[in-house]
């Protein structure tokens, strides 16, 4: 039997419990799993809890409880709620990320990443959430605001742990072509990775040995560059001591990235006093510092010219001369553009550009780059928007990063380290085999070797402390727990100190799907053979909001584990489908809006099957729907009518025997096959709403005809069972069927029957026409005889119930002989 790993993003167990939006996602995934199971797959449908993280901690702070106790309580409540969904979850393999048995392996993962050169400690300007009192990953900042609490983030220079996801930028991008994912999620990842081809240009500074590297996608406009702009964070600026400049830089650093990037914002800047040389025409151009240049993009330096709106705006404000060097080629417009009344930003023809004059923009970009490369003044360069993944958090509720800092080891190995100049943007560089004591950090001016906690000493347990509140000082609360912080160096046995930051929750969830099939292994994170049997995940369902967070991180970690030889695939999820959201009266459900619908009362009032089916009836899985309370009654009534029809004692008796089945309306039979086809296709494509509509229509036809056969009703129950597992199981038994409905194979439809239309069958008795019946084209002789004998006008000729002789001309005529 083929295995099928049916995965749904595991929940963060909030104190509020599940809301209908969560239920929607779980049910949608469960229906898919149930369908795959009946289809013949060996389905694995696990569940767990993403229980570390700031959310849990913040709630505990608010309530005055400890996160450990609060989390246990939340998980208990979630478990109760999840159990009433009627999902196939394999509870024996539940994973809880805040348990030491799990985070031991999250720490192990960190060690492997470090050993592979994919984890490093580096100082960089990072995003700081003043409300969460911690740094955030790039991906957790949405339009300049904290993804969790919506606070505007600030920039801080801090030494942090990063994972080198940028090393995988190209693979993350290219592999997107090979996986079956929701298109909008792929687009979001492509944009976030943000691959840009351009040119890196070296500007020499007049009377100085310093150089500035600028990045541009428009090398064709370089001839017309009339100034250079540096970001306030640019390393060169730090060496400029002028008071005016330092004041400007300080002010800029207080602004958020969002403020700085705002299009409508008036550009500001200060002249640095020095000049750079345009490598193309050797002209001297002034160097400015301006906050519209951002350090995180390109190189933190750009040249200004007449073909970029922001540059033109800036130049006009500070009366910096501009020179148009690209024109449209359209005579009437040329005049206008050359007078710089409007900014021409498109590709065109070069003018006043020395040897490049007359070229098209595309040609010139190539030629200018070649020219610069030849002279050693530039090169073509690919940049990415993607930055390394910042995983340090100055919080309590997470796995301690398993690193120890040792002064003695640093002293004794100092001679091994060649270069010690760690500039702002160069991260760690020593890639020696023996890493103990080679990589180092500087704490309060003192150098310490980075020593990994040996694997045998894992987990580094999170100590239970009374005061776990974030400090806001840039240090985790663990920094003030001396019993935790002070430790012995595993290499030199001297006294040393622990890293006190914990890692981001997203690292916990970056590998949990590998743990699920392997929870019984205490001595390894996962078993290679077991992993091979179940992974990669066959179907992953979850929220699109994780497109560039969780879904990017999991891909990176999977690729890294493949490269390290732990697993044999690089993409964790063969198929991913983003589910839609359930709204309340058109608006997104959120606690702050106070419109969160708690499913519990609906479970009590209508039962899980009604809640499940109603949610799926709201709209296609990918789109979600709106939750108006009254709609649920319709589904509830449908189930009640179904119950009445099937549970009628008459139906459970022999009346539903073979004879009556054959006598049944063949119209129903055609509809049965049609319904199987429709529901099967809809379930494959997560169009649950239209599948339910088809089942309702089929039910109505059966009810109207009053001649439903056992098989027709069984088919209805089986097709409905992924939606309503409890009700259908009950009715299955009532009909006298053996075993569980959930172990039945998925019904197959007969394409032949679907193709057939009804035809008129002439029924003769002893050669005389007595009746004309409407039947399916493919009706067999046996079926036709049985059907004919049910008719009043025919029946009376055969008191024995059996004709003496039969002549059947397929598709046209049936002659029954009574003597
Ligand atoms: Zn925040
Ligand atoms: Zn040591």
């Amino acid at each position: 039997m083929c295995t099928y790993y049916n995965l749904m993003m595991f929940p963060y167990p909030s104190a509020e419990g599940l809301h209908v939006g969560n239920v929607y996602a779980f049910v949608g995934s469960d229906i898919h799993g149930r369908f795959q199971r009946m289809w013949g797959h060996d389905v694995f449908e696990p569940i767990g809890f993403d229980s570390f993280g700031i959310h849990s901690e913040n709630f505990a702070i608010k309530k005055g409880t400890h996160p450990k106790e609060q989390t246990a309580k939340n998980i208990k409540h979630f478990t109760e709620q999840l159990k009433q969904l009627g999902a196939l979850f394999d509870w024996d393999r539940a994973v809880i990320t805040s348990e030491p048995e799990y985070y031991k392996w999250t720490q192990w993962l960190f060690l492997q990443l470090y050993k592979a050169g994919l984890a490093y400690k580096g100082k960089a300007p990072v995003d700081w959430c003043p409300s969460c009192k911690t740094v955030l990953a790039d991906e957790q900042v949405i339009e300049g605001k904290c993804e969790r609490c919506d606070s505007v983030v600030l920039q801080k220079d801090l030494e942090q742990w990063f994972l080198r996801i940028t090393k995988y930028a190209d693979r993350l991008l290219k592999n997107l072509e090979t996986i079956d994912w929701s298109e909008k999620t792929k687009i979001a990842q492509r944009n976030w990775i943000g691959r840009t081809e351009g040119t890196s240009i070296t500007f020499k500074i007049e009377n100085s040995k310093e150089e500035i590297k600028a990045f541009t996608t428009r090398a064709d406009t370089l001839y017309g560059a009339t100034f250079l702009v540096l970001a306030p964070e640019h390393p060169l600026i730090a060496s400029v001591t002028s008071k005016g400049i330092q004041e400007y830089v300080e002010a800029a650093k207080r602004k958020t990235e969002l403020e700085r990037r705002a299009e409508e914002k008036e550009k500001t800047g200060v002249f640095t006093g020095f000049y750079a040389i345009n490598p193309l025409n050797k002209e001297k151009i002034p160097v400015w510092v301006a906050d519209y240049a951002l350090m995180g993009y390109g190189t933190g330096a750009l040249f200004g010219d007449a073909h970029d709106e922001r540059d033109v705006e800036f130049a006009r404000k500070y009366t910096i001369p501009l020179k148009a060097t690209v024109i449209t080629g359209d005579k009437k417009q040329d005049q206008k553009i050359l007078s710089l009344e409007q900014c021409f930003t498109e590709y065109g023809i070069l003018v006043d550009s020395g040897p490049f004059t007359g070229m098209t923009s595309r040609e010139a970009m190539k030629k200018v780059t070649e020219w610069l490369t030849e002279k050693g003044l530039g090169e073509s360069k690919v940049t990415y928007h993607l930055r390394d993944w910042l995983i340090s958090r100055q919080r309590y509720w997470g796995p301690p990063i398993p690193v120890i800092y040792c002064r003695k080891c640093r002293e004794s190995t100092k001679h091994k380290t060649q270069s010690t100049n760690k500039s702002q943007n160069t991260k760690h560089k020593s890639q020696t085999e023996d890493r103990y004591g080679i990589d180092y950090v500087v704490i309060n001016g003192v150098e310490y070797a980075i020593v990994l906690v040996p694997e045998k000493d894992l987990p580094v347990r999170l100590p239970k402390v009374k005061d776990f509140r974030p400090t806001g000082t840039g240090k985790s609360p663990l920094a003030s727990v001396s019993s935790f912080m002070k430790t012995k160096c595993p290499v030199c046995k001297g006294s040393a100190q622990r890293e006190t930051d914990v890692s981001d929750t997203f690292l916990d969830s970056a590998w949990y799907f590998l743990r699920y099939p392997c929870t019984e292994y205490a001595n390894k994170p996962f078993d290679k053979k077991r992993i091979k049997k179940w992974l990669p995940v066959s179907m992953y369902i979850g929220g699109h909001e994780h497109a560039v967070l969780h879904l990017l991180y999991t891909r990176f970690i999977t690729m890294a584990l493949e490269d390290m030889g732990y697993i044999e695939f690089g993409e964790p999820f063969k198929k991913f489908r983003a589910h839609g959201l359930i709204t309340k009266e058109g608006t997104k459900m959120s606690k702050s809006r106070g419109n969160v619908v708690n499913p519990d009362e609906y479970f009590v009032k209508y039962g899980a099957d009604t809640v499940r089916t109603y949610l799926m009836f709201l709209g296609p899985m990918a789109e979600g729907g709106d939750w108006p309370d009254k709609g649920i009654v319709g589904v509830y009534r449908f189930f009640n009518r179904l119950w009445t029809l099937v549970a009628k004692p008459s139906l459970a008796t022999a009346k539903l025997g073979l004879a009556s089945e054959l006598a049944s309306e063949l119209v129903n039979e055609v509809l049965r096959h049609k319904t199987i086809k429709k529901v099967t296709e809809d379930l494959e494509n997560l169009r649950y709403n239209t599948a339910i509509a088809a089942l309702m229509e089929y039910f109505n036809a059966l009810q109207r005809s009053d001649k439903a056969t056992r098989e027709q009703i069984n088919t209805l129950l089986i097709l409905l069972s992924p939606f309503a597992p409890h009700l259908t199981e009950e009715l299955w038994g009532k009909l006298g069927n053996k075993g569980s409905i959930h172990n039945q194979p998925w019904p197959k439809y007969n394409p032949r029957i679907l193709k057939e239309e009804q035809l008129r069958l002439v029924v003769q008795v002893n050669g005389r026409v007595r009746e004309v019946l409407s039947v399916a084209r493919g009706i067999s002789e046996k079926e036709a005889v049985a059907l004919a004998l049910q008719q009043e006008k025919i029946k009376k000729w055969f008191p024995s119930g059996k004709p003496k002789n039969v002549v059947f001309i397929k598709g046209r005529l049936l002659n029954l002989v009574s003597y």
Side-chain angles (χ1 to χ4, degrees):
M1 208 175 355
C2 272
T3 61
Y4 196 94
Y5 191 160
N6 185 46
L7 184 66
M8 164 64 204
M9 284 182 185
F10 66 165
Y12 139 68
S14 68
E16 296 82 28
L18 282 179
H19 63 71
V20 292
N22 308 129
V23 174
Y24 177 70
F26 284 115
V27 168
S29 171
D30 181 59
I31 289 169
H32 182 75
R34 287 179 173 277
F35 169 62
Q36 291 297 338
R37 192 168 172 275
M38 294 173 96
W39 193 255
H41 286 121
D42 186 3
V43 173
F44 178 44
E45 190 172 300
I47 184 77
F49 299 100
D50 191 11
S51 47
F52 259 147
I54 295 178
H55 267 308
S56 313
E57 202 184 311
N58 283 351
F59 188 84
I61 292 169
K62 212 173 90 191
K63 289 275 157 175
T65 52
H66 193 277
K68 196 173 159 70
E69 274 123 44
Q70 189 61 48
T71 300
K73 218 191 254 175
N74 296 352
I75 288 177
K76 191 167 169 272
H77 183 211
F78 257 70
T79 305
E80 285 163 9
Q81 283 189 306
L82 284 167
K83 281 193 172 165
Q84 51 179 0
L85 292 186
L88 286 174
F89 298 139
D90 186 343
W91 284 100
D92 292 344
R93 297 192 169 275
V95 151
I96 298 173
T97 59
S98 57
E99 293 292 333
E101 301 85 73
Y102 183 85
Y103 71 71
K104 170 182 178 172
W105 301 113
T106 305
Q107 292 172 337
W108 171 89
L109 175 63
F110 174 87
L111 297 182
Q112 310 316 310
L113 292 167
Y114 184 87
K115 288 176 193 166
L118 293 173
Y120 63 87
K121 197 163 197 191
K123 193 171 186 176
V126 293
D127 295 309
W128 171 268
C129 174
S131 156
C132 294
K133 294 180 180 157
T134 180
V135 299
L136 302 171
D138 213 18
E139 289 78 17
Q140 286 168 321
V141 181
I142 316 284
E143 292 181 337
K145 289 179 183 166
C146 170
E147 166 274 323
R148 288 171 195 281
C149 70
D150 254 9
S151 303
V152 172
V153 300
L154 306 172
Q155 310 285 310
K156 271 199 182 189
D157 270 353
L158 286 170
E159 186 133 314
Q160 302 287 314
W161 281 100
F162 291 88
L163 297 184
R164 216 182 289 276
I165 189 172
T166 51
K167 194 185 164 195
Y168 287 83
D170 259 329
R171 195 155 146 205
L172 287 165
L173 194 64
K174 275 189 201 131
N175 269 17
L176 283 175
E177 309 306 322
T178 69
I179 47 178
D180 178 10
W181 280 32
S182 301
E183 199 49 37
K184 67 171 178 176
T185 311
K186 283 192 186 184
I187 291 170
Q189 291 208 347
R190 257 181 226 124
N191 290 342
W192 186 259
I193 296 165
R195 187 180 193 275
T196 312
E197 287 178 22
T199 312
S200 160
I201 302 159
T202 308
F203 288 82
K204 292 202 184 317
I205 295 175
E206 196 192 34
N207 305 325
S208 161
K209 279 192 181 129
E210 299 276 6
E211 291 175 347
I212 296 169
K213 281 197 192 321
F215 177 78
T216 182
T217 55
R218 289 294 303 271
D220 59 318
T221 63
L222 177 58
Y223 216 90
T226 50
F227 60 105
L228 206 70
V229 177
L230 300 181
E233 299 85 359
H234 196 282
L236 255 187
I237 298 295
S239 62
V240 182
T241 47
S242 141
K243 199 173 160 234
I245 288 171
Q246 288 313 324
E247 272 170 11
Y248 179 79
V249 168
E250 285 314 310
K253 281 184 180 167
R254 282 194 295 274
K255 285 186 200 166
T256 64
E257 188 170 320
L258 186 65
E259 286 169 343
R260 284 170 56 176
R261 273 168 63 187
E263 297 280 329
E264 66 280 6
K265 188 204 83 145
E266 198 182 315
K267 309 271 173 295
T268 61
V270 190
F271 175 50
T272 59
F274 50 92
Y275 291 85
I277 308 298
N278 184 334
L280 225 46
N281 56 21
K282 309 294 173 212
E283 272 171 26
K284 198 170 106 172
I285 59 175
V287 179
W288 287 67
V289 53
D291 66 5
Y292 79 91
L294 297 168
M295 200 61 217
Y297 298 91
T299 56
L302 51 95
F303 65 79
D305 61 66
H307 304 290
D308 179 281
E309 268 164 29
R310 292 172 313 166
D311 293 350
V312 170
E313 205 186 308
F314 186 76
R316 283 200 184 122
K317 182 169 171 190
Y318 294 103
T319 55
I320 303 169
L322 286 168
K323 196 171 96 182
T325 54
V326 182
I327 59 169
T328 60
D330 174 340
K331 285 274 181 267
K332 266 186 218 157
Q333 268 197 21
D334 291 351
Q335 288 304 318
K336 243 182 161 180
I337 289 145
L338 285 172
S339 68
L340 293 172
E341 272 168 25
Q342 87 188 58
C343 174
F344 179 63
T345 58
E346 284 154 47
Y347 289 172
I349 309 285
L350 269 69
V351 293
D352 291 338
S353 298
F356 307 99
T357 305
M359 288 182 188
T360 63
S361 286
R362 280 185 196 283
E363 251 180 294
M365 286 193 275
K366 205 171 149 246
K367 292 285 175 201
V368 169
T369 308
E370 279 171 12
W371 190 93
L372 290 169
T373 312
E374 238 168 69
K375 302 273 187 296
L377 292 168
E379 60 190 339
S380 57
K381 197 182 164 188
V382 177
T383 65
Y384 298 89
H385 171 263
L386 182 70
R387 283 182 257 177
D388 279 339
W389 175 15
L390 199 177
I391 57 149
S392 309
R393 293 294 177 274
Q394 291 72 44
R395 298 285 300 224
Y396 168 72
W397 194 233
I401 295 172
V403 162
I404 289 167
Y405 301 114
C406 178
R407 197 171 168 175
K408 210 171 130 197
C409 280
R410 173 63 191 151
E411 290 302 321
S412 61
T413 56
K414 216 167 180 173
H415 61 280
K416 287 194 198 168
T417 314
Q418 295 282 309
S419 145
T420 53
N421 61 327
K422 291 167 69 189
S423 75
Q424 266 200 330
N425 282 295
T426 47
K427 319 284 193 195
H428 263 258
K429 42 215 156 274
S430 64
Q431 300 292 326
T432 345
E433 273 307 300
D434 172 24
R435 303 185 69 88
Y436 285 116
I438 300 296
D439 277 341
Y440 68 96
V441 292
V442 181
I443 305 169
N444 297 328
V446 181
E447 291 180 3
Y448 291 81
I450 292 174
V451 180
L452 299 183
V453 172
E455 280 175 28
K456 65 172 175 54
D457 294 346
L458 295 181
V460 176
R461 282 178 188 268
L462 181 66
K464 195 168 176 198
V465 297
K466 243 189 176 161
D467 194 6
F468 53 84
R469 284 168 304 169
T471 61
T473 59
K475 277 191 177 159
S476 145
L478 291 179
S480 50
V481 183
S482 67
S483 59
F484 173 80
M485 190 156 136
K486 284 186 189 154
T487 187
K488 226 193 224 171
C489 170
V491 176
C492 70
K493 312 293 175 208
S495 60
Q497 62 187 71
R498 283 189 192 281
E499 165 67 60
T500 53
D501 283 353
V502 298
S503 57
D504 182 16
T505 343
F506 280 105
L507 187 60
D508 306 332
S509 57
W511 73 279
Y512 77 112
F513 52 92
L514 297 170
R515 184 65 182 164
Y516 275 145
C518 309
T519 45
E520 75 269 42
Y521 295 98
N523 60 345
K524 50 184 164 183
F526 40 80
D527 177 66
K528 224 172 168 176
K529 227 173 111 191
R530 188 70 64 76
I531 290 289
K532 204 171 174 177
K533 181 179 175 193
W534 289 101
L535 279 108
V537 169
S538 318
M539 170 65 118
Y540 196 22
I541 292 179
H544 172 72
E545 69 273 19
H546 290 293
V548 300
L549 290 153
H550 170 65
L551 287 169
L552 197 62
Y553 299 149
T554 45
R555 293 185 61 217
F556 157 57
I557 293 295
T558 305
M559 287 174 190
L561 286 171
E562 184 192 24
D563 288 354
M564 291 185 248
Y566 287 110
I567 53 177
E568 291 170 25
F569 51 90
E571 285 293 340
F573 317 123
K574 280 191 273 193
K575 199 166 174 176
F576 170 76
R577 289 293 177 273
H579 64 72
L581 291 177
I582 294 296
T583 53
K584 167 88 173 159
E585 279 138 21
T587 50
K588 196 182 159 187
M589 277 187 213
S590 77
K591 224 187 85 199
S592 56
R593 286 194 186 90
N595 65 350
V596 174
V597 178
N598 182 335
D600 292 359
E601 54 173 304
Y602 296 94
F603 279 115
V604 173
K605 198 165 169 192
Y606 298 106
D609 288 353
T610 304
V611 176
R612 286 170 67 103
T613 311
Y614 172 59
L615 278 169
M616 295 305 119
F617 199 37
L618 290 177
M621 189 70 196
E623 283 163 39
D626 198 53
W627 174 276
D629 292 358
K630 42 190 188 307
I632 197 166
V633 179
V635 172
Y636 189 58
R637 277 199 210 113
F638 164 52
F639 284 155
N640 279 307
R641 281 165 58 213
L642 177 66
W643 178 267
T644 316
L645 175 76
V646 180
K648 258 198 295 195
S650 63
L651 271 176
T653 64
K655 274 190 179 173
L656 280 171
L658 186 69
S660 99
E661 272 186 34
L662 288 176
S664 72
E665 260 193 20
L666 288 154
V667 183
N668 282 352
E669 198 50 19
V670 174
L671 185 61
R672 183 173 84 88
H673 286 267
K674 257 192 195 164
T675 309
I676 295 171
K677 181 172 190 284
K678 169 88 180 136
V679 173
T680 307
E681 288 169 1
D682 281 351
L683 287 193
E684 273 168 0
N685 295 297
L686 307 183
R687 289 188 305 253
Y688 298 144
N689 57 328
T690 48
I692 295 166
L695 287 168
M696 286 175 165
E697 196 186 306
Y698 176 48
F699 165 78
N700 286 337
L702 295 185
Q703 201 186 34
R704 264 199 314 272
S705 77
D706 202 34
K707 281 179 184 168
T709 66
R710 169 80 56 89
E711 192 183 15
Q712 284 161 359
I713 289 177
N714 280 349
T715 302
L716 173 66
L717 294 181
I718 294 172
L719 295 179
L720 195 60
S721 68
F723 297 94
H726 309 91
L727 176 72
T728 51
E729 178 78 329
E730 189 90 14
L731 291 176
W732 182 256
K734 274 196 184 293
L735 279 178
N737 292 305
K738 295 265 177 329
S740 166
I741 191 170
H742 303 300
N743 289 332
Q744 302 309 309
W746 193 252
K748 302 269 185 296
Y749 66 90
N750 185 343
R752 195 173 55 87
I753 292 181
L754 290 186
K755 269 195 218 130
E756 284 164 2
E757 279 156 41
Q758 299 289 304
L759 62 84
R760 300 176 82 75
L761 179 72
V762 175
V763 182
Q764 295 178 340
V765 176
N766 305 328
R768 292 192 60 182
V769 176
R770 296 289 171 189
E771 182 66 290
V772 179
L773 295 174
S774 178
V775 299
R777 197 173 286 273
I779 193 167
S780 69
E781 180 178 324
K782 203 173 159 193
E783 286 169 332
V785 172
L787 187 64
L789 289 173
Q790 290 282 310
Q791 312 303 315
E792 289 303 324
K793 289 178 193 163
I794 312 285
K795 215 196 241 169
K796 59 183 179 187
W797 295 92
F798 302 95
S800 71
K802 249 187 161 184
K804 288 257 168 19
N805 201 4
V806 175
V807 179
F808 180 63
I809 302 167
K810 200 169 175 169
R812 291 162 91 185
L813 178 85
L814 176 70
N815 185 24
L816 305 174
V817 181
S818 67
Y819 47 82

